[in-house]
Amino acid sequence: MATLSIHFDPAVIARLTSASGDDTIHVTLSLGGGSDTPEVTPVIPHGPLAALMQAGLLKPDTVLTFHQRRAGRSGRAVVTADGQLIVDGHSTPFPSPSKAAEAVTGNVINGWTLWHTPDGSTLDQLRQKLDAQ
């Protein structure tokens, strides 16, 4: 039996979760293979994370996390293809690591040193790596 996998960009999920009861959401699925298959336009990252993404140091769909033991807080965010962050519990993407961190902590905070990639690196460490190249 064939398996169907559907992947939605985190920005699409954010839009769907922010829709009001009066909004109509249309989703079109096609099997492709025909000559009517639309071309996919690549998304170009912009904003503070763009350079890291263009250098291949940060990829779309990367899950970023942080844990603040003393404050008893933790956060999770997903990098979108256009270089924004979708934070768990928030329907609107954030344009910068610090804005995303502030949304979770409630405080002005340096998101570059707070958010960690799956391998444990901070975004600031990735930025330093990029500067050294």
Side-chain angles (χ1 to χ4, degrees):
M1 172 172 272
T3 301
L4 173 66
S5 297
I6 300 173
H7 174 78
F8 289 102
D9 185 277
V12 171
I13 300 300
R15 173 66 181 103
L16 292 173
T17 59
S18 68
S20 73
D22 297 328
D23 287 344
T24 300
I25 305 294
H26 297 279
V27 177
T28 304
L29 301 175
S30 66
L31 294 176
S35 60
D36 295 341
T37 304
E39 284 188 33
V40 176
T41 305
V43 177
I44 299 171
H46 60 276
L49 297 177
L52 294 177
M53 295 178 77
Q54 291 165 349
L57 296 173
L58 188 64
K59 301 203 179 301
D61 300 324
T62 299
V63 175
L64 304 176
T65 58
F66 77 83
H67 303 286
Q68 292 178 313
R69 286 185 210 123
R70 294 173 95 188
R73 290 188 288 228
S74 63
R76 181 182 177 279
V78 177
V79 179
T80 66
D82 66 352
Q84 298 190 69
L85 294 173
I86 302 224
V87 177
D88 283 356
H90 297 268
S91 59
T92 305
F94 293 91
S96 74
S98 296
K99 291 292 184 189
E102 184 179 339
V104 177
T105 65
N107 301 315
V108 175
I109 192 162
N110 184 349
W112 290 95
T113 58
L114 185 71
W115 292 108
H116 289 82
T117 63
D119 72 359
S121 300
T122 65
L123 294 175
D124 190 53
Q125 289 170 326
L126 293 181
R127 200 165 47 173
Q128 290 172 17
K129 185 175 180 179
L130 179 63
D131 290 343
Q133 290 180 351

